[in-house]
């Protein structure tokens, strides 16, 4: 077998940068559901540490830090929203979260932004059934040396051809031919792990075209938006504990989340998600940076600007090899994930986080779907 990688590095949405002098994850960061995550065990085998300690939730009201009672009220509302979504999903209802979550005169706009950070889009575009099927044990451990670095290490001995994007897939006959800028490869079977954003963009040309039902799956399971603006600090933020995270309440979904001092590093990360995050990315890096800086000033005061000592900005939506953050099923389309992963003619196979019904949006969901696809195509080969 051979792995064709379109870009000049391994990992896709798992990417760790070290230009700050310490690891910074532009994409995947947490070992979600770490107690049942197969990558946790592999991290242990490779000696890759992860943080199991607590995080410290914060909420800024735009004028001051929320007191304990206000923070508890906000957290209670979030729990009631997710419980309502799960109740609908458990009953088999595949509708928008917005149709079932309780209204709140204060917290609803901020919750919409939190929902977008978790799912990629706001409640009006998230399926209750899809949300319900996601398995969450509540244990989410960030990888100290970087999740992208872990994935890269796991792939270190694989035959990967970098900077070799597939351009045309000719699969009408018994042998599949994959055209790339470096030539054509022939194979009995091909496993696609590209994002649904790429599949929906027609970057890959299939000859003959894929069945209409398969093409429709690329538009029923879509990529939401989530980006990071990561600021290196000259010194820690005064009075802010390591591994603190929270949101800025603005009375609008057009706000941001933040994460401070992960692993004790001099770093504060602003999270831009959902439709407002999508608009900011389209407006460009400077617009994303300005929005994040203004948000940090609103939370930490203007003195925070004197502490900023470098910045990195992700841009997953404009990345031609990704075209978004992580997947979600449109309301009424939760069952599409199964069809998305269905093989064609015993020659074309599909895997990736978007295929996973229980761990979508995660690296381990992509990993598990890849293992399942390999087992399926290996069985087809023996048959």
């Amino acid at each position: 077998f051979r792995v064709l990688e379109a870009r000049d590095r391994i990992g896709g949405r798992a990417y760790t940068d070290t230009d700050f002098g310490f690891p910074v994850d532009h994409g995947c960061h947490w070992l979600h559901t770490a107690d049942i995550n197969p990558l946790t065990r592999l991290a242990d085998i490779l000696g890759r540490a992860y943080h199991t300690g607590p995080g410290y939730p914060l909420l800024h009201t735009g004028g001051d830090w929320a007191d304990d009672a206000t923070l508890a009220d906000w957290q209670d509302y979030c729990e009631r929203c997710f419980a309502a979504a799960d109740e609908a999903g458990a009953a088999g209802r595949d509708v928008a979260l917005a149709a079932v979550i309780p209204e709140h005169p204060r917290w609803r706009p901020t919750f919409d932004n939190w929902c977008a950070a978790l799912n990629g889009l706001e409640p009006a575009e998230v399926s209750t059934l899809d949300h319900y099927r996601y398995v969450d044990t509540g244990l989410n451990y960030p990888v100290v040396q970087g999740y992208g670095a872990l994935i890269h290490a796991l792939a270190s001995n694989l035959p990967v051809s970098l900077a070799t994007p597939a351009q045309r897939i000719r699969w009408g006959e018994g042998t599949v031919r994959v055209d790339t800028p470096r030539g054509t490869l022939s194979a009995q079977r091909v496993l696609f792990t590209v994002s649904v954003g790429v599949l929906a963009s027609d970057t890959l040309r299939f000859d003959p075209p894929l069945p209409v039902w398969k093409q429709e799956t690329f538009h029923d399971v879509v990529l939401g938006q989530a980006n990071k603006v990561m600021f290196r600090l000259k010194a820690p933020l005064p009075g802010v504990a390591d591994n603190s995270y929270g949101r800025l309440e603005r009375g609008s979904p057009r706000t941001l989340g933040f994460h401070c001092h992960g692993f004790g590093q001099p770093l504060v990360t602003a999270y831009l998600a959902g439709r407002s995050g999508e608009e900011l990315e389209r407006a460009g890096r400077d617009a994303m940076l300005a929005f994040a800086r203004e948000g940090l000033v609103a939370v930490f005061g203007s003195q925070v600007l004197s502490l900023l000592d470098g910045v990195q900005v992700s841009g997953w939506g404009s990345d031609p090899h990704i075209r978004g953050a992580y997947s979600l099923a449109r309301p009424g389309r939760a069952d599409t994930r199964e069809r998305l992963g269905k093989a064609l003619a015993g020659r074309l196979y599909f895997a990736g986080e978007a295929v996973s019904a229980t761990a979508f949006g995660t690296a381990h969901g992509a990993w598990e779907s890849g293992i399942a696809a390999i087992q399926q195509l290996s069985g087809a080969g023996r048959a």
Side-chain angles (χ1 to χ4, degrees):
F1 70 92
R2 177 156 293 278
V3 180
L4 302 184
E5 169 57 59
R7 63 198 326 146
D8 59 1
R9 62 168 178 80
I10 293 169
R13 284 166 280 180
Y15 168 56
T16 303
D17 187 280
T18 58
D19 285 350
F20 280 171
F22 50 83
V24 175
D25 280 324
H26 282 225
C28 305
H29 184 60
W30 283 274
L31 289 161
H32 291 295
T33 61
D35 50 334
I36 60 173
N37 186 331
L39 296 178
T40 305
R41 179 180 62 83
L42 293 173
D44 290 337
I45 292 172
L46 293 179
R48 301 280 171 150
Y50 43 85
H51 180 67
T52 61
Y56 299 95
L58 299 171
L59 177 68
H60 199 278
T61 64
D64 204 350
W65 295 106
D67 58 27
D68 290 345
T70 303
L71 179 61
D73 188 51
W74 153 248
Q75 292 174 324
D76 176 71
Y77 175 69
C78 291
E79 290 175 3
R80 288 191 290 119
C81 286
F82 292 131
D86 285 339
E87 182 179 0
R93 297 181 62 195
D94 189 357
V95 298
L97 262 68
V100 301
I101 60 178
E103 288 295 333
H104 194 287
R106 178 176 182 179
W107 297 130
R108 175 59 191 274
T110 308
F111 175 80
D112 281 7
N113 181 265
W114 176 226
C115 175
L118 295 174
N119 297 284
L121 290 174
E122 289 76 7
E125 300 182 77
V126 178
S127 157
T128 53
L129 186 56
D130 201 42
H131 180 272
Y132 170 71
R133 288 172 173 169
Y134 180 83
V135 175
D136 184 3
T137 67
L139 297 180
N140 304 293
Y141 299 156
V143 183
V144 176
Q145 293 175 277
Y147 210 144
L150 170 62
I151 298 298
H152 192 278
L154 290 170
S156 61
N157 294 320
L158 296 180
V160 180
S161 297
L162 297 176
T164 309
Q167 297 173 316
R168 184 171 64 153
I169 315 299
R170 290 176 283 167
W171 64 287
E173 302 174 358
T175 299
V176 183
R177 291 176 173 80
V178 182
D179 295 336
T180 81
R182 298 187 174 189
T184 298
L185 287 82
S186 298
Q188 293 177 299
R189 289 169 293 279
V190 176
L191 171 59
F192 296 93
T193 62
V194 297
S195 73
V196 288
V198 170
L199 290 170
S201 71
D202 295 327
T203 301
L204 292 176
R205 290 176 292 137
F206 290 87
D207 181 14
L210 297 178
V212 172
W213 67 264
K214 174 65 84 170
Q215 295 183 48
E216 289 174 346
T217 66
F218 308 150
H219 301 277
D220 290 341
V221 175
V222 298
L223 292 188
Q225 186 60 278
N227 276 312
K228 302 177 184 179
V229 181
M230 299 149 282
F231 295 97
R232 184 174 58 189
L233 302 170
K234 297 176 183 176
L237 298 167
V240 179
D242 290 351
N243 201 32
S244 293
Y245 60 92
R247 312 208 77 68
L248 169 61
E249 180 200 0
R250 278 180 162 161
S252 166
R254 190 179 174 83
T255 186
L256 48 75
F258 51 89
H259 184 214
C260 308
H261 308 158
F263 313 122
Q265 295 168 341
L267 181 74
V268 58
T269 298
Y271 292 88
L272 315 181
R275 291 302 181 192
S276 63
E278 184 178 50
E279 293 170 4
L280 286 165
E281 184 176 354
R282 281 202 302 265
R285 185 180 186 276
D286 288 346
M288 297 169 69
L289 179 57
F291 186 83
R293 286 166 61 98
E294 190 272 332
L296 293 185
V297 168
V299 173
F300 301 108
S302 59
Q303 63 272 16
V304 72
L305 298 179
S306 65
L307 295 176
L308 304 184
D309 187 38
V311 63
Q312 296 182 30
V313 182
S314 69
W316 296 113
S318 56
D319 185 324
H321 303 302
I322 304 295
R323 299 178 183 266
Y326 28 74
S327 70
L328 67 158
R330 296 187 183 278
R333 298 291 186 268
D335 290 336
T336 298
R337 293 190 189 274
E338 181 180 359
R339 297 196 301 277
L340 176 61
K342 188 175 178 60
L344 295 175
R347 294 193 292 277
L348 305 187
Y349 295 78
F350 299 83
E353 58 88 9
V355 170
S356 174
T358 60
F360 50 86
T362 71
H364 76 274
W367 181 276
E368 291 172 333
S369 77
I371 296 295
I374 290 294
Q375 291 173 341
Q376 182 185 13
L377 70 84
S378 297
R382 289 193 296 271

